[in-house]
Amino acid sequence: MSYTYLKNETSNGICTLTLSAPKSLNALNSELLGELGHFLDNIDSAVRVLIITGDGDKSFVAGADIAEMSTLDEREGFEFGKRGTDVFRKLERLPIPVIAAVNGYALGGGCEIAMACDIRICSDNARFGQPEVGLGIIPGFSGTYRLAKLVGMGMAKQMIYTGKPIKSDEALRIGLVNAVYPQAELMAQAMKMAAAICKNAPVALKYAKECIEAEYDLQADEAIAYENRMFGKCFATADQKNGMHAFLNKQEVEFEGR
Ligand code: DAK
């Protein structure tokens, strides 16, 4: 299917997905969210890592589309928020690693979509913020949940209550991003990280992601038992047999993902 607001390109198992609504600095409108949901439901099984970025060199995503939201009533507001949270949850639960390459403004829904990715890296001109309370709304694409989870309650409350964006160096300091690069290097660095991930066993990556996500909300004993089960399941895969055989025989391994 061809998309109006998405561009995607895949090579060597790495898919780069560019969110593109240049007239509104890549703001998330309903159509874009619908396309994103469709894309995630139909992602090629050969893709091992997904990179998400924004079109242009100024903005990753400048939030949910304010023009579209401005006339909503309570029921429509609920539905718009639900559409966004459902798509972001789909993204978070994708069985492959997802890197957000944040190339500029990541405000409101932009910060929230980045937080639904596994790993965030950004350009030095990036700005992260949850300015919603200045518009009379709250972060509505799971920002109140994921920001506190990532940076702790104190900093999440500061960002959400003041609505003030933070710069890339501050985002790095508080752990919202893993690394900051000059704009011109960002995509090459994202590709480099994706290529390093691609060398590893796909099923093990999927299980590791599932464990990290599921165990976060469990008590210690339950979390450890969960990991025990998933660790056991690794031994039912060809990837485990091939990976260990290759190591013991000092060979390179080409994982099949099964
Ligand atoms: N929506 C729509 N259009 C936007 C936009 C946005 N979020 N951000 C920018 N634009 C448009 C501008 O209106 C402008 O359009 P024209 O005037 O050229 O037609 C164009 O993009 C260029 O923007 P600027 O002229 O403003 O560019 P500047 O460089 O001066 O400023 C900026 C860049 C990113 C600082 C500024 O555009 C800005 O502050 N944008 C708004 C950022 C923001 O407040 N984002 C948060 C949006 S609220 C919920 C569901 C979801 C949400 C909440 C609740 N439920 C229903 C439960 C999520 C909400 C949000 O994300």
Side-chain angles (χ1 to χ4, degrees):
M1 173 177 163
S2 74
Y3 296 111
T4 307
Y5 295 102
L6 307 181
K7 299 176 193 171
N8 64 93
E9 200 183 317
T10 302
S11 75
N12 300 323
I14 302 169
C15 176
T16 304
L17 178 69
T18 305
L19 308 175
S20 178
K23 286 187 190 148
S24 59
L25 301 178
N26 309 323
L28 303 171
N29 59 49
S30 305
E31 226 180 306
L32 190 158
L33 288 171
E35 289 188 1
L36 181 58
H38 181 275
F39 174 83
L40 295 172
D41 283 337
N42 294 284
I43 195 161
D44 194 315
S45 59
V47 174
R48 293 193 172 181
V49 179
L50 176 65
I51 298 172
I52 298 187
T53 193
D55 210 353
D57 57 9
K58 181 173 173 181
S59 180
F60 173 66
V61 169
D65 194 313
I66 299 170
E68 187 180 342
M69 280 192 296
S70 61
T71 58
L72 303 184
D73 62 22
E74 183 174 350
R75 184 185 54 80
E76 292 164 336
F78 171 82
E79 281 164 7
F80 185 70
K82 177 97 171 62
R83 197 172 310 140
T85 50
D86 285 353
V87 175
F88 288 11
R89 188 77 174 125
K90 209 184 280 262
L91 175 61
E92 189 170 54
R93 302 180 90 160
L94 210 62
I96 55 171
V98 183
I99 300 170
V102 178
N103 56 311
Y105 291 115
L107 302 178
C111 188
E112 289 166 307
I113 193 171
M115 292 191 292
C117 298
D118 294 300
I119 294 167
R120 284 151 297 286
I121 61 174
C122 73
S123 54
D124 45 11
N125 67 330
R127 299 284 181 276
F128 293 82
Q130 298 289 166
E132 285 91 343
V133 292
L135 296 165
I137 56 174
I138 59 170
F141 291 163
S142 310
T144 55
Y145 171 64
R146 292 202 183 94
L147 189 58
K149 198 170 157 186
L150 277 169
V151 304
M153 278 222 188
M155 193 50 79
K157 285 178 176 174
Q158 180 182 316
M159 285 178 68
I160 291 170
Y161 297 171
T162 67
K164 280 197 175 159
I166 58 169
K167 294 185 176 172
S168 51
D169 54 351
E170 178 70 348
L172 179 64
R173 191 186 69 78
I174 67 174
L176 186 53
V177 298
N178 294 8
V180 181
Y181 300 103
Q183 171 81 261
E185 286 174 29
L186 179 67
M187 291 316 291
Q189 292 292 345
M191 291 298 281
K192 192 172 161 193
M193 185 185 286
I197 294 171
C198 272
K199 286 192 176 148
N200 296 318
V203 182
L205 286 167
K206 178 176 132 181
Y207 288 174
K209 176 167 175 170
E210 191 181 319
C211 281
I212 295 166
E213 291 293 340
E215 290 161 16
Y216 188 87
D217 295 319
L218 298 177
Q219 296 292 329
D221 286 337
E222 276 179 273
I224 290 163
Y226 196 103
E227 190 191 69
N228 285 155
R229 275 197 307 280
M230 298 304 286
F231 183 68
K233 281 177 70 164
C234 294
F235 291 83
T237 67
D239 284 353
Q240 175 270 329
K241 307 280 175 264
N242 295 337
M244 292 191 180
H245 179 269
F247 177 83
L248 294 172
N249 291 285
K250 304 193 189 307
Q251 294 166 346
E252 288 287 316
V253 62
E254 193 83 16
F255 287 113
E256 296 164 32
R258 57 180 187 92

